[in-house]
Amino acid sequence: MPSKYIKLITHDKHQFIISRDSANVSQTIKAMLETSMFKESSTNKIQLEENALIMNKICEYFYYNLKYNSNNDEDGDIPEFEIPTEMALELLVASDYFNC
Amino acid sequence: MQSRRPKIRPPRKSLTAALDFPSIWSTLSQSILQILNQNAGSLSFEELYRKGYNIVLKKHGGILYESIGGVISGYLEGCYTKLINVEEEGDGQVLDRVIQLWRDFEISMKLISDVFLYLDKVYTRENHLLLVYDHGVTLFRDLIIKRDQGKIGNLINEKILDLITANRAKGAMIDFFKIKEVMMMYLSLEETDENGVLIGETYYTLFFERYYLDRSGSFYEGLAGEQFQLGNGRAYLKWVEGVLLDEENKMSLYLNAETCEKLRMLMSRICIVSKIDQVLRFPQESLRDWVHLRKEEELTLLYRLLSRAGYFDGLLVQIDEIIKDEEGLKSPSLDGQGKEKVKISQVSTVFVTQVIALKDKYDQILRYLSTDANVQKTIETSFTSVLNPAAAAAATSRLSEFLSYYIDEFIKKSKDSNDTEISAFLDNAIVIFRFIKDKDVFEKFYKNHLAKRLLKAQSEKDDDLERMLIDRFRNEIGSTFTAKLEGMFKDIHLSRELSAKFNHKNLHVSVLTKTFWPIQPTETSSLINLPSVLEDLQSQFTQYYTNCFNGRNIQWVYNFGTVDIRVKFTKKLHELNCSIYCGVIILLFQEFEQITYKELKQVTQIPEAELKRALLSLSVAQRTRVLLKSPMSKEFQDDDVFKFNYNFTAPLTKVKILTVITKQDTDATRSETLKETETDRKYEVDAMIVRVMKSNKTLSHRELIEEIIKLSAKRFEPSVGFIKKRVEMLIEREYLRRDETDSKVYHYLA
């Protein structure tokens, strides 16, 4: 029985508990959770190498994407996703890894 | 205020650190093997993914891709050796083992492919290589199924076909789902070309299917041969249908749609197309019996099978043969057996009824054959060709005559017919009419009969049936055919009005338009001496008519007229109804006591043939011997003497003196009619040629002939030789000319 929430553990031992739906915004995480037989799919925990700071922003993006992507046929008022300039490069790399 | 430029943090350190491929790979390859051995539970997807990701990021994708292939190959080689060893020990479970191996391998490859998603995404696609998953599958194909000249593949194929054959032959229970699973595997094993690019074919389509069809083919070839040997058509068809249905139910359990279709075609070819023609000719229980006994079950079954095979040629040929052997369609002989006289009117009715019955029979058979358009066409063509034998054949077609006599006979007796009989009659007449090729010949015969009937008809009411029939003819081939016939009706109608206006109760005249009627005035008819009574009436009417219609010319034809004469015989007063010629002769005896044949000829000027006929009726026919002839014989000599028979008696007051018709007469009329048709055809074809050439100006010989045959098809079938002759005649008469350089081309001369 897949749980509704999953746990992401950062390199610096922070834990992010987010909804499965939002985590699935990342194709990479989606594959990890869905491909049974691996550790992740049974524990619903994923050990990542990112640090908490960047992970926070990534999770924020997951929710942002989930919210505005799923009901995009409503009015076109989608607020811009704010990216602090100093994080730009790190996020770029992360988006490549997470495939989102 | 000066804006401060924010400092961008560089990504994590690990991305920039140098990569130790061998150590990372040793973990990865261990993990891949774990996955292949169904033992991935303890592995972290993230960890493996991250490793693959880092390797690719550091541009080591190529070596990673190859190494993955290497690990998988090694694993598969081990599996292969195991399979072969076990099999060689006589295990016999190779099918199940391969299925299991494939099941596991497929799942593992899915996992491996997920783990190396980033490799596929960044490296594989860019280098136009097979995706990790597909790469694994091709390795399975080459290292398990196709290794050593396809040792395992062949082994499996053979096992599968052995199972299927056992099921086909003896109904052995087999696990179709297992076979289906192998098929699914085969369909997954895509073939690649020499550059490793997928070519859209699979092991299934390139290897298995061929083997499958070969073995299935030879299996059914043998079985069909055995059934064929039994020599029973019905049994054979039943067997084929059974076998096809059985196979139909099973094939979809394990074959893909394309192979199902190929197997269907193969079986149709083996069981139906290659044998059915002979089966239909089996001496027992075959087409001929089914047709003659009107076997619905067999014929519908046959049609089902033939439509499945899409092969009807043989059936059409054989139906044609069977129809051509129908005795009932052969024109009956009119010579009669022994001394019995054959009446053509009776023969006609019998023959027409017979043909109609046969047509009904084949209509029924056609319904059993799904009212197939080609079968219908064949039946019609066959009927037409039997009923219209080529002119060269000994017995020329008398169909036109038969139909005309049939119609004549029915209409004459139609007073008591009810509506059902009448509508059946109309339908029948049209059915036969359609079969007549030379409609112009029919027109001639029919017109002769119609003319006689119309002249005899008493009132408009009698014409109803005639009109209905003509309407049907018009619907069938158009108004050109019926225009003249309708003209005949109009004449009769006007004549009735005219006679009424002329208002002489003793005279009814039919005024006929020369071109509509088959009756033509002859030169001799104006010479005939009428008795004064008749002559007076005639001149009165002529005068009346020319007064009414200025400028019209009236000529008298007596052949079809009748007179009523009241004669007081010794015993009783009788009213004689007879032909005008007979009347003329009888009235002579008001002046003469007796008269010789020679004198009769001179006094009356009736043409000799007509005279003889009249005298036969008056002096030889038993019941109507109004004259006494001496010597009493059927021959007429110049000095034969005729006297009036005052002692004539008859049961009724009214006596109808029928005009004797001899066989020579009918034959003469017949050949005359045919000769007329021949002449008419010349005119018609001439007219057609001129019309066609006038609109086309220049045509080749072939084009012209084709055009003429097309144009005349509704009425008759002119031979090419006939058309050629007409063309030559027209060239002589300078309607056409040949091209100077190409004699096969004609030009129209205005």
Side-chain angles (χ1 to χ4, degrees):
Chain A
M1 185 68 195
S3 63
K4 207 170 168 227
Y5 289 90
I6 56 117
K7 201 184 271 178
L8 303 177
I9 303 164
T10 62
H11 187 60
D12 43 3
K13 303 278 192 289
H14 283 269
Q15 297 194 347
F16 290 83
I17 299 173
I18 61 171
S19 77
R20 181 179 290 267
D21 290 343
S22 63
N24 279 346
V25 168
S26 155
Q27 295 303 312
T28 309
I29 294 181
K30 195 171 180 229
M32 288 176 190
L33 294 171
E34 278 178 4
T35 313
S36 52
M37 298 173 80
F38 284 104
K39 207 160 67 183
E40 285 85 350
S41 63
S42 50
T43 59
N44 292 318
K45 261 190 284 184
I46 300 175
Q47 174 69 50
L48 296 162
E49 289 191 7
E50 279 66 23
N51 60 36
L53 201 62
I54 193 83
M55 206 59 223
N56 191 36
K57 197 70 191 167
I58 290 170
C59 290
E60 195 186 322
Y61 176 76
F62 287 167
Y63 276 100
Y64 166 87
N65 180 297
L66 186 70
K67 183 175 176 192
Y68 294 107
N69 216 23
S70 54
N71 51 6
N72 52 1
D73 40 342
E74 275 179 26
D75 52 333
D77 274 355
I78 301 174
E80 201 161 318
F81 184 73
E82 271 180 45
I83 296 173
T85 317
E86 68 274 15
M87 269 191 200
L89 206 50
E90 282 173 301
L91 282 175
L92 191 67
V93 174
S95 92
D96 182 41
Y97 178 78
F98 286 107
N99 196 1
C100 62
Chain B
M1 216 166 85
Q2 226 177 357
S3 71
R4 192 171 57 92
R5 220 177 143 193
K7 198 185 164 210
I8 300 178
R9 262 201 311 275
R12 280 190 322 276
K13 219 172 154 193
S14 66
L15 291 177
T16 46
L19 186 86
D20 180 10
F21 182 78
S23 84
I24 298 179
W25 173 246
S26 94
T27 333
L28 272 181
S29 65
Q30 284 306 314
S31 306
I32 291 173
L33 279 176
Q34 255 176 291
I35 295 173
L36 285 170
N37 289 309
Q38 317 301 307
N39 190 18
S42 62
L43 297 173
S44 159
F45 188 113
E46 202 280 340
E47 191 192 328
L48 299 178
Y49 186 89
R50 179 84 64 181
K51 286 190 162 62
Y53 172 79
N54 285 337
I55 293 171
V56 175
L57 270 190
K58 293 281 159 52
K59 309 263 184 241
H60 292 298
I63 188 163
L64 177 62
Y65 184 83
E66 266 169 43
S67 307
I68 294 170
V71 175
I72 295 172
S73 301
Y75 163 77
L76 288 174
E77 267 164 39
C79 295
Y80 179 79
T81 320
K82 230 187 283 166
L83 273 176
I84 292 294
N85 287 342
V86 177
E87 191 58 25
E88 274 168 6
E89 284 162 20
D91 171 64
Q93 300 294 308
V94 66
L95 194 54
D96 298 288
R97 286 182 194 282
V98 172
I99 290 173
Q100 190 56 49
L101 179 62
W102 168 254
R103 263 186 217 156
D104 296 344
F105 183 75
E106 207 188 3
I107 296 168
S108 309
M109 275 318 298
K110 186 84 188 54
L111 299 182
I112 294 169
S113 140
D114 280 347
V115 165
F116 295 106
L117 198 74
Y118 195 79
L119 174 70
D120 274 345
K121 185 176 138 190
V122 174
Y123 173 79
T124 319
R125 281 188 211 283
E126 231 151 69
N127 292 281
H128 306 293
L129 293 169
L130 290 179
L131 296 180
V132 171
Y133 179 84
D134 294 332
H135 186 48
V137 171
T138 41
L139 290 173
F140 186 89
R141 180 195 72 200
D142 293 338
L143 297 175
I144 304 285
I145 302 296
K146 287 174 81 176
R147 185 146 183 206
D148 297 339
Q149 287 87 46
K151 198 168 175 181
I152 295 277
N154 293 344
L155 208 57
I156 297 175
N157 293 346
E158 214 171 285
K159 293 236 177 218
I160 288 178
L161 263 300
D162 286 350
L163 285 173
I164 291 173
T165 308
N167 172 270
R168 280 171 178 163
K170 296 175 253 150
M173 296 283 285
I174 61 168
D175 184 354
F176 284 111
F177 295 103
K178 193 193 280 181
I179 298 175
K180 172 85 182 168
E181 210 169 346
V182 178
M183 299 302 108
M184 295 308 288
M185 168 177 86
Y186 280 174
L187 280 167
S188 307
L189 301 182
E190 278 193 75
E191 292 292 322
T192 42
D193 64 10
E194 63 274 16
N195 298 321
V197 179
L198 298 174
I199 55 170
E201 297 281 354
T202 61
Y203 182 80
Y204 178 90
T205 56
L206 286 188
F207 296 90
F208 174 74
E209 189 184 62
R210 187 175 307 158
Y211 178 73
Y212 173 83
L213 291 177
D214 276 358
R215 285 219 21 202
S216 303
S218 50
F219 174 77
Y220 280 113
E221 198 90 58
L223 219 50
E226 282 171 31
Q227 292 294 327
F228 183 79
Q229 289 304 321
L230 301 179
N232 182 312
R234 181 189 146 88
Y236 185 83
L237 290 198
K238 288 244 167 212
W239 173 78
V240 171
E241 178 159 65
V243 118
L244 290 180
L245 278 179
D246 188 42
E247 196 58 55
E248 189 67 40
N249 288 333
K250 286 175 193 164
M251 61 168 88
S252 51
L253 293 178
Y254 60 94
L255 290 180
N256 77 346
E258 272 169 51
T259 319
C260 285
E261 192 49 40
K262 283 181 190 163
L263 180 63
R264 268 184 218 118
M265 304 248 294
L266 180 74
M267 292 183 69
S268 290
R269 194 166 48 72
I270 293 172
C271 302
I272 303 173
V273 178
S274 73
K275 299 213 168 48
I276 199 74
D277 290 353
Q278 285 153 279
V279 169
L280 291 180
R281 285 186 205 282
F282 278 163
Q284 48 165 328
E285 290 276 8
S286 57
L287 188 60
R288 216 166 262 269
D289 306 333
W290 303 335
V291 167
H292 290 323
L293 301 172
R294 312 189 188 200
K295 294 278 204 171
E296 177 169 15
E297 189 200 348
E298 283 80 354
L299 289 169
T300 43
L301 169 59
L302 172 66
Y303 191 80
R304 275 204 301 279
L305 294 182
L306 292 180
S307 3
R308 191 186 266 269
Y311 171 76
F312 294 97
D313 298 3
L315 173 71
L316 297 182
V317 168
Q318 294 196 34
I319 284 192
D320 179 58
E321 286 170 9
I322 293 172
I323 292 177
K324 286 187 173 148
D325 288 346
E326 288 281 6
E327 282 304 322
L329 294 180
K330 309 258 161 78
S331 290
S333 151
L334 289 171
D335 298 338
Q337 288 167 345
K339 282 187 178 163
E340 240 175 283
K341 259 196 179 171
V342 185
K343 260 181 108 182
I344 185 166
S345 52
Q346 276 171 10
V347 173
S348 301
T349 310
V350 170
F351 181 66
V352 166
T353 323
Q354 202 169 293
V355 172
I356 294 292
L358 283 172
K359 179 68 174 41
D360 282 347
K361 169 176 160 186
Y362 283 94
D363 280 348
Q364 192 179 358
I365 283 156
L366 176 64
R367 282 196 297 280
Y368 295 158
L369 296 173
S370 272
T371 320
D372 181 273
N374 287 325
V375 176
Q376 187 171 18
K377 219 173 121 199
T378 304
I379 292 178
E380 262 151 35
T381 337
S382 309
F383 265 78
T384 312
S385 81
V386 188
L387 291 171
N388 298 277
T396 43
S397 164
R398 304 189 75 151
L399 188 60
S400 297
E401 267 174 284
F402 290 141
L403 177 58
S404 182
Y405 274 102
Y406 167 74
I407 292 172
D408 194 47
E409 197 66 9
F410 184 88
I411 292 183
K412 276 186 194 161
K413 293 178 180 164
S414 65
K415 281 212 176 83
D416 310 321
S417 305
N418 58 34
D419 287 357
T420 341
E421 282 165 342
I422 288 178
S423 91
F425 157 74
L426 291 171
D427 290 344
N428 291 353
I430 290 301
V431 168
I432 304 287
F433 181 69
R434 283 186 194 139
F435 287 138
I436 293 176
K437 246 192 218 163
D438 296 334
K439 297 215 165 48
D440 57 342
V441 177
F442 170 72
E443 189 189 349
K444 283 268 180 319
F445 282 110
Y446 174 71
K447 233 161 114 178
N448 283 338
H449 279 135
L450 178 64
K452 283 182 196 157
R453 288 198 301 271
L454 284 179
L455 290 174
K456 268 187 202 150
Q458 299 299 317
S459 66
E460 299 278 320
K461 225 186 109 226
D462 295 345
D463 300 344
D464 285 354
L465 184 53
E466 303 274 10
R467 284 187 190 279
M468 279 195 260
L469 183 62
I470 288 178
D471 281 348
R472 299 288 280 269
F473 286 146
R474 191 182 38 233
N475 289 346
E476 198 60 30
I477 60 164
S479 54
T480 30
F481 180 80
T482 51
K484 285 183 179 175
L485 303 177
E486 280 159 20
M488 289 166 73
F489 278 101
K490 214 169 147 195
D491 280 349
I492 290 296
H493 180 72
L494 290 176
S495 300
R496 284 192 190 121
E497 285 181 1
L498 195 64
S499 294
K501 271 193 225 149
F502 180 58
N503 200 16
H504 192 297
K505 60 180 173 169
N506 285 335
L507 182 67
H508 294 278
V509 180
S510 298
V511 183
L512 315 177
T513 312
K514 216 167 153 183
T515 47
F516 294 159
W517 291 73
I519 299 160
Q520 298 299 326
T522 49
E523 286 166 30
T524 48
S525 52
S526 58
L527 300 173
I528 291 164
N529 285 319
L530 293 176
S532 52
V533 182
L534 295 180
E535 207 169 6
D536 281 352
L537 269 178
Q538 187 185 39
S539 54
Q540 274 174 41
F541 185 83
T542 312
Q543 204 176 356
Y544 174 77
Y545 187 80
T546 33
N547 279 345
C548 288
F549 304 97
N550 207 6
R552 286 201 194 169
N553 185 15
I554 197 160
Q555 278 174 297
W556 292 84
V557 180
Y558 304 118
N559 300 40
F560 295 90
T562 59
V563 280
D564 294 339
I565 304 171
R566 233 172 263 156
V567 185
K568 201 171 177 204
F569 292 96
T570 328
K571 265 202 163 166
K572 207 176 164 189
L573 182 103
H574 283 289
E575 197 178 297
L576 306 176
N577 172 271
C578 57
S579 74
I580 291 186
Y581 294 131
C582 287
V584 170
I585 296 165
I586 290 171
L587 289 174
L588 274 181
F589 288 91
Q590 288 180 316
E591 298 167 41
F592 295 86
E593 195 61 36
Q594 62 173 50
I595 192 166
T596 62
Y597 180 63
K598 195 178 173 189
E599 285 167 326
L600 266 177
K601 272 196 279 182
Q602 283 166 354
V603 176
T604 59
Q605 291 293 332
I606 298 173
E608 195 159 354
E610 297 290 344
L611 182 62
K612 271 187 192 168
R613 205 180 294 165
L615 286 171
L616 272 174
S617 313
L618 289 172
S619 62
V620 180
Q622 294 234 337
R623 285 187 197 162
T624 55
R625 239 174 245 173
V626 181
L627 299 185
L628 295 171
K629 177 177 182 286
S630 59
M632 181 57 206
S633 70
K634 280 189 180 176
E635 304 302 317
F636 293 92
Q637 306 293 336
D638 276 356
D639 42 9
D640 286 359
V641 180
F642 295 90
K643 279 187 192 163
F644 199 74
N645 179 10
Y646 290 101
N647 296 323
F648 173 80
T649 56
L652 295 171
T653 314
K654 281 199 173 182
V655 179
K656 195 169 166 68
I657 299 173
L658 296 168
T659 306
V660 173
I661 302 164
T662 59
K663 190 155 180 341
Q664 283 95 347
D665 291 335
T666 17
D667 286 354
T669 337
R670 179 166 190 265
S671 57
E672 210 170 281
T673 311
L674 292 176
K675 220 161 69 195
E676 272 173 36
T677 332
E678 188 71 7
T679 328
D680 285 359
R681 274 187 195 180
K682 282 183 193 160
Y683 295 138
E684 276 183 59
V685 170
D686 285 358
M688 272 183 225
I689 296 174
V690 171
R691 267 203 309 276
V692 168
M693 289 306 296
K694 189 172 182 179
S695 57
N696 287 292
K697 300 298 173 214
T698 300
L699 277 182
S700 76
H701 179 72
R702 198 178 47 81
E703 287 168 332
L704 180 59
I705 299 270
E706 271 171 14
E707 191 65 19
I708 297 301
I709 288 178
K710 210 171 78 193
L711 282 174
S712 53
K714 262 193 181 172
R715 290 177 55 76
F716 55 91
E717 228 174 46
S719 69
V720 175
F722 182 77
I723 303 175
K724 236 185 218 166
K725 238 182 249 164
R726 299 320 303 163
V727 171
E728 267 153 34
M729 283 298 297
L730 288 170
I731 292 173
E732 236 168 71
R733 280 148 58 193
E734 298 193 328
Y735 279 97
L736 314 176
R737 70 172 173 82
R738 283 184 204 280
D739 192 85
E740 287 88 350
T741 49
D742 187 353
S743 66
K744 290 256 171 239
V745 172
Y746 305 116
H747 297 286
Y748 177 73
L749 293 174

